[in-house]
């Protein structure tokens, strides 16, 4: 999937674009608006970026995992080389310690990430603070022409670039979850 970023200061225009995209087969879960005017975004029935996505928790947690894997491996290798696994306890305490260290590294990375803005949105920080809205759409390659066709009818949107989108499976899972919630609520 590819992510396309656009800048606008008109929520009415963004609402029209979102409705057109949805009418042309792009799911709501693929469309987001990053803005400081959360109430106005909600009033226009736009899909706002949730607070967890605004922070760098996931990316920093991944970095923590990258640090945690070698530390856990070092613990297991060290216990083996020192002969400590030949004791009555065997491997169990060292495997447990490796899991705890790995989990701690992920948690620490996420804890750091909750304190900083999402790496994907850092370039837009000043624009958002200035009252602009960042509209972004995650599309499959076969949906690119649909997006281009809709966007060309809305010159008020300024193209702000492209980037890495959410993985396909997460968008598909969110779509199925929202469908399930609609069915349950009647």
């Amino acid at each position: 999937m590819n992510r396309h970023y656009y800048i606008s200061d008109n929520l009415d225009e963004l609402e029209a674009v979102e409705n057109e995209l949805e009418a042309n087969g792009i799911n709501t879960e693929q469309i987001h608006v990053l803005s400081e005017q959360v109430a106005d975004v909600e009033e226009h029935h736009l899909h706002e970026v949730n607070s967890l996505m605004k922070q760098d928790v996931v990316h920093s947690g991944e970095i923590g995992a990258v640090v945690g894997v070698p530390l856990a491996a070092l613990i297991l290798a060290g216990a083996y080389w020192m002969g400590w696994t030949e004791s009555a306890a065997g491997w169990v305490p060292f495997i447990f310690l490796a899991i705890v260290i790995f989990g701690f590294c992920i948690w620490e990375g996420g804890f750091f990430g909750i304190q900083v803005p999402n790496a994907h949105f850092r370039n837009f920080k000043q624009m958002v603070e200035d009252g602009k809205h960042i509209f972004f759409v995650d599309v499959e390659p076969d949906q690119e022409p649909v997006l281009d066709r809709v966007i060309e009818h809305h010159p008020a949107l300024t193209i702000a670039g492209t980037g890495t989108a959410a993985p396909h499976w997460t968008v598909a899972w969110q779509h199925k979850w929202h469908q399930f919630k609609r069915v349950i609520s009647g």
Side-chain angles (χ1 to χ4, degrees), residues 96-178:
F96 181 71
L97 179 61
I99 291 169
V100 168
I101 293 298
F102 177 68
F104 176 77
C105 289
I106 293 172
W107 174 81
E108 187 63 30
F111 184 69
F112 173 77
I114 206 162
Q115 301 172 46
V116 296
N118 188 316
H120 298 291
F121 304 145
R122 286 185 191 139
N123 296 340
F124 303 116
K125 184 179 183 214
Q126 189 58 50
M127 288 179 235
V128 170
E129 288 175 357
D130 292 342
K132 302 280 188 196
H133 313 288
I134 308 304
F135 183 79
F136 61 96
V137 186
D138 295 341
V139 291
E140 298 286 350
D142 63 323
Q143 294 175 318
E144 298 270 352
V146 172
L147 177 63
D148 293 340
R149 196 170 46 250
V150 170
I151 295 299
E152 76 181 23
H153 291 95
H154 296 277
L157 294 179
T158 304
I159 297 172
T162 59
T164 306
H168 173 79
W169 64 269
T170 59
V171 174
W173 180 85
Q174 287 176 341
H175 181 66
K176 297 234 185 269
W177 173 249
H178 289 138

Side-chain angles (χ1 to χ4, degrees), residues 13-43:
E13 184 80 12
L14 293 181
E15 184 176 12
V17 171
E18 182 170 321
N19 291 335
E20 288 178 40
L21 289 172
E22 289 172 354
N24 284 288
I26 295 179
N27 297 326
T28 303
E29 295 79 15
Q30 293 174 254
I31 306 167
H32 299 278
V33 176
L34 176 65
S35 176
E36 284 193 346
Q37 302 167 12
V38 177
D40 293 338
V41 169
E42 190 174 308
E43 183 180 307

Side-chain angles (χ1 to χ4, degrees), residues 64-102:
V66 168
V67 170
V69 166
L71 287 177
L74 185 65
I75 289 168
L76 295 174
Y80 176 75
W81 286 325
M82 299 293 280
W84 295 340
T85 58
E86 302 300 321
S87 70
W91 281 96
V92 173
F94 304 106
I95 291 172
F96 181 71
L97 179 61
I99 291 169
V100 168
I101 293 298
F102 177 68

